[in-house]
Amino acid sequence: MPDKSAGRQAGGGAIELDWSEYRPGNFFDELIGPESLPRPGAAEIAAYLSSLGTHELAERQAAAERAILEMGVTFTVYTEGQNIDRAWPFDIIPRIIDGAEWNRTEAGLKQRLRALNMFIHDMYHERRIIADGIFPAYIVESSKNFLEACVGAKPSGNVWANICGSDLVRDSDGTLYVLEDNLRVPSGVSYMLENRIVLKHVFPELFRNQDIRPVGDYPSALFDMLCSIAPATEAEPEVVVLTPGIYNSAYFEHSYLAQRMGCELVEGSDLIVNDDNCVYMRTINGLVRVDVIYSRVNAEFLDPEAFRPDSMLGVPGLLRAWRSGKVALANAPGTGVADDKVVYTYVPDMIRYYLDEDALLPNVPTWRCADEDSLAYVLENIADLVVKPANE
């Protein structure tokens, strides 16, 4: 937002902002374009903000922060061995994405996830992309996230990553790039949902006058997707959300989604796998068969029989139940093989290989330091680059 010096005092203490005097810095301004005019789709928002005084904006920011505290929207910060719950930070100035741009972005994200799922399935089966020389074998062979116990497994529809959280960033010219793909235990959607609720509370006028796409149906869409991967059953599938517990940084989200979907929120100790390879939930009325588990536990902790024997978060025999088709897991164990900074650089190649298409969304320009020429470039320009560890 421009400061008071960029506008004229209007009646009632409001500040009439003169956007022609506003000069964005060396970054992409989501609201104001290069000609100092509101971007397409943002004209009404800009006019509305111009009609509010700085005092009114401050009041509405304070109202948003109070609402967040009352709603209990928090995230956990681990500092010096202590768990500190902090209120979710919220900026009341909304970010506008034009409908046409969002359609392209949505198509690009779907394309990307299709290719990533095909890659994961390929890694645990034929490894065609390696045999054809598109992807180096050493990346998988050295990956700590490749799970040998998942080789040959076939989740419902060969879909391993049912939920994906892809981080998007803008360049100074406005280009949207994919920064990374979070496939193991993607987190954060609850904050997006709560942000929309708070924004409606703070700026109800915007939603009366703007054609804004809704997001509130996400929990029902998530529940429908989870039901769709359930093993065949005549009854309505029993879906549960598996959480590591109250000390996890995303516990707010786990409880929030379980409540919104009408599902039980369970920990590993609430579930057992019997000799029939079925998963059951302990209840006060006895054992209840579980058909689908929305897991928010890292794969290596899911089953002490198959992975880490010291895990207190998982369920003994869970991998056996999943591989036998008696229970569905979302996301499936093994998705981490594609959740890596080096694998990320090959996603455009995966899209061409598996889908015979060009990527609709580009990666951030990235150099693989295993390549000598790329390494030389990185060392020469390291002051201007971000260096990330490969394979964690």
Side-chain angles (χ1 to χ4, degrees):
M1 279 289 292
D3 61 23
K4 293 174 69 173
S5 64
R8 303 182 300 277
Q9 189 73 31
I15 301 298
E16 236 178 40
L17 296 172
D18 182 1
W19 299 104
S20 65
E21 299 179 24
Y22 175 57
R23 295 292 182 268
N26 187 28
F27 56 87
F28 182 85
D29 190 293
E30 299 279 352
L31 192 64
I32 305 302
E35 302 300 323
S36 297
L37 295 173
R39 292 188 181 279
E44 290 190 35
I45 298 289
Y48 175 73
L49 294 174
S50 297
S51 71
L52 300 177
T54 52
H55 177 72
E56 178 67 16
L57 281 175
E59 283 290 317
R60 300 208 186 194
Q61 179 71 52
E65 292 169 0
R66 286 194 301 271
I68 287 171
L69 287 174
E70 291 169 2
M71 294 162 66
V73 185
T74 64
F75 66 102
T76 304
V77 178
Y78 299 99
T79 306
E80 297 178 358
Q82 296 179 333
N83 301 337
I84 302 174
D85 283 338
R86 293 185 179 173
W88 182 248
F90 181 77
D91 183 355
I92 62 172
I93 307 300
R95 175 172 293 178
I96 307 299
I97 299 179
D98 178 76
E101 181 184 25
W102 178 249
N103 288 340
R104 293 192 300 271
T105 303
E106 181 182 29
L109 292 172
K110 289 180 177 179
Q111 177 197 57
R112 194 175 183 92
L113 187 53
R114 285 198 304 272
L116 283 165
N117 268 298
M118 295 175 77
F119 170 76
I120 298 168
H121 192 75
D122 197 13
M123 289 302 97
Y124 289 106
H125 292 85
E126 296 88 355
R127 297 193 176 183
R128 294 184 295 111
I129 196 171
I130 293 177
D132 290 338
I134 308 298
F135 187 82
Y138 79 88
I139 297 177
V140 176
E141 292 166 354
S142 63
S143 173
K144 63 176 288 187
N145 292 315
F146 177 81
L147 304 180
E148 196 68 38
C150 294
V151 172
K154 294 184 178 180
S156 177
N158 294 335
V159 175
W160 296 71
N162 308 89
I163 303 105
C164 176
S166 293
D167 293 345
L168 300 176
V169 294
R170 279 200 194 274
D171 200 352
S172 57
D173 65 359
T175 301
L176 273 177
Y177 291 92
V178 178
L179 179 63
E180 65 180 19
D181 304 289
N182 299 288
L183 298 165
R184 282 172 293 179
V185 190
S187 181
V189 72
S190 63
Y191 301 110
M192 177 270 292
L193 298 172
E194 292 292 87
N195 281 356
R196 179 61 64 87
I197 292 172
V198 172
L199 191 64
K200 285 183 176 179
H201 174 75
V202 175
F203 288 141
E205 305 92 336
L206 294 181
F207 291 85
R208 286 197 295 267
N209 303 323
Q210 294 280 310
D211 183 16
I212 300 172
R213 298 193 191 189
V215 297
D217 61 346
Y218 178 85
S220 61
L222 175 63
F223 180 75
D224 290 344
M225 181 278 294
L226 293 171
C227 289
S228 74
I229 65 173
T233 176
E234 295 181 2
E236 181 177 342
E238 183 70 39
V239 180
V240 300
V241 179
L242 177 62
T243 176
I246 61 173
Y247 297 109
N248 185 267
S249 61
Y251 181 75
F252 166 81
E253 176 159 297
H254 306 165
S255 58
Y256 177 89
L257 291 176
Q259 183 182 46
R260 292 288 302 274
M261 290 192 294
C263 299
E264 295 292 341
L265 180 66
V266 300
E267 297 183 28
S269 57
D270 298 318
L271 303 176
I272 63 169
V273 178
N274 278 357
D275 293 338
D276 58 1
N277 284 337
C278 293
V279 180
Y280 295 89
M281 172 175 53
R282 294 185 174 96
T283 75
I284 56 174
N285 297 316
L287 297 179
V288 174
R289 169 85 181 269
V290 173
D291 301 293
V292 183
I293 299 174
Y294 177 25
S295 174
R296 300 303 296 260
V297 176
N298 285 331
E300 62 266 32
F301 295 98
L302 269 180
D303 183 349
E305 283 185 9
F307 305 120
R308 292 185 53 154
D310 61 339
S311 172
M312 302 295 290
L313 304 176
V315 185
L318 183 56
L319 189 77
R320 173 167 33 93
W322 172 67
R323 290 198 60 132
S324 65
K326 299 296 182 66
V327 70
L329 280 169
N331 282 344
T335 57
V337 70
D339 196 342
D340 177 76
K341 300 298 183 288
V342 179
V343 174
Y344 155 87
T345 67
Y346 287 93
V347 174
D349 299 318
M350 294 177 199
I351 293 172
R352 283 189 291 270
Y353 180 76
Y354 293 115
L355 304 178
D356 194 24
E357 300 170 357
D358 290 328
L360 298 175
L361 289 176
N363 279 8
V364 173
T366 308
W367 290 264
R368 304 178 191 121
C369 293
D371 175 75
E372 290 186 6
D373 291 338
S374 295
L375 177 60
Y377 177 88
V378 169
L379 293 175
E380 186 176 345
N381 297 276
I382 198 165
D384 300 318
L385 299 173
V386 175
V387 180
K388 295 185 177 182
N391 199 13
E392 299 188 351

